[in-house]
Amino acid sequence: MEDILRVGVITKTHGIRGEVKVFPTTDDPKRFKKLKEVLIDTGKERRKMEVQSCRFQKNLVIIKFKGIDNINDVEQYRQCDLYVSRKNAVKLGPNENFIVDLIGLKVVLDDGTEFGTLTDVMQTGANDVYIVKTLDGKEVLLPAIPECILDVDLDTEQVTIHLMKGLVD
């Protein structure tokens, strides 16, 4: 499991006082209100920054970092990813997982037969869709609903599924 989780990408600066616009990559952009510190991945290092303030503008989050007070100091962080440590991540509810923890899990059928590997998760709004590469190299889309996804076990790194009719040719 990853120790850090990506929560956004700095798209550009905002104004001249050192604020940045962030495109959130988290399910709940409101989480930024409670965020105290982030890690900025500059490509060379991950720099810890304290969040001074946060507000929302359309689908973006405007963040001001403590100690950065002009556009010249923040310009270098354009297009950089923002991360939080796992301990600072939002608390998950029952049957919820971080997508990063699901990628690469072995997928087995409810009878124990190995089916493939979970390669990605697509967020559609209604429910997530698990993208699975089967043992024969095909890509199958599985709705993340209780009738299809029976169990996700991060300890054994395995997802147990019920293959509903019509999901595979």
Side-chain angles (χ1 to χ4, degrees):
M1 282 198 264
E2 297 280 329
D3 288 335
I4 58 171
L5 304 166
R6 188 172 80 154
V7 293
V9 178
I10 297 174
T11 58
K12 59 184 177 178
T13 59
H14 179 77
I16 60 170
R17 293 193 170 92
E19 294 178 311
V20 292
K21 288 186 178 183
V22 174
F23 178 78
T25 58
T26 177
D27 285 349
D28 184 13
K30 299 286 185 219
R31 73 164 330 279
F32 282 91
K33 279 287 191 195
K34 296 178 182 175
L35 209 54
K36 301 295 182 210
E37 68 179 30
V38 295
L39 297 170
I40 298 178
D41 187 345
T42 66
K44 297 177 184 171
E45 67 176 337
R46 289 196 175 131
R47 179 170 286 166
K48 188 183 292 188
M49 302 292 281
E50 190 175 333
V51 175
Q52 180 176 319
S53 66
C54 155
R55 66 183 195 276
F56 301 94
Q57 182 182 67
K58 297 183 183 176
N59 65 334
L60 299 175
V61 182
I62 298 175
I63 294 179
K64 170 86 171 74
F65 298 114
K66 189 173 185 175
I68 295 185
D69 298 316
N70 69 64
I71 191 172
N72 297 326
D73 293 339
V74 80
E75 183 74 31
Q76 64 185 317
Y77 300 123
R78 285 177 34 152
Q79 302 305 311
C80 290
D81 289 335
L82 288 183
Y83 292 89
V84 296
S85 63
R86 193 171 281 272
K87 69 176 181 145
N88 290 328
V90 292
K91 303 299 178 225
L92 296 176
N95 298 320
E96 290 183 332
N97 296 288
F98 292 114
I99 291 174
V100 69
D101 295 337
L102 298 174
I103 306 297
L105 294 182
K106 180 169 68 171
V107 178
V108 297
L109 299 175
D110 45 4
D111 67 3
T113 307
E114 188 171 347
F115 184 70
T117 304
L118 198 150
T119 59
D120 205 354
V121 177
M122 187 178 1
Q123 296 179 297
T124 65
N127 57 269
D128 290 349
V129 175
Y130 291 2
I131 302 172
V132 176
K133 186 172 185 176
T134 64
L135 295 177
D136 60 359
K138 293 181 183 175
E139 191 174 84
V140 175
L141 305 178
L142 303 173
I145 57 175
E147 296 82 18
C148 186
I149 308 300
L150 303 178
D151 184 50
V152 175
D153 189 337
L154 297 179
D155 294 329
T156 62
E157 298 181 357
Q158 182 172 289
V159 178
T160 304
I161 65 166
H162 170 71
L163 200 53
M164 298 165 56
K165 287 185 181 181
L167 291 178
V168 179
D169 298 339

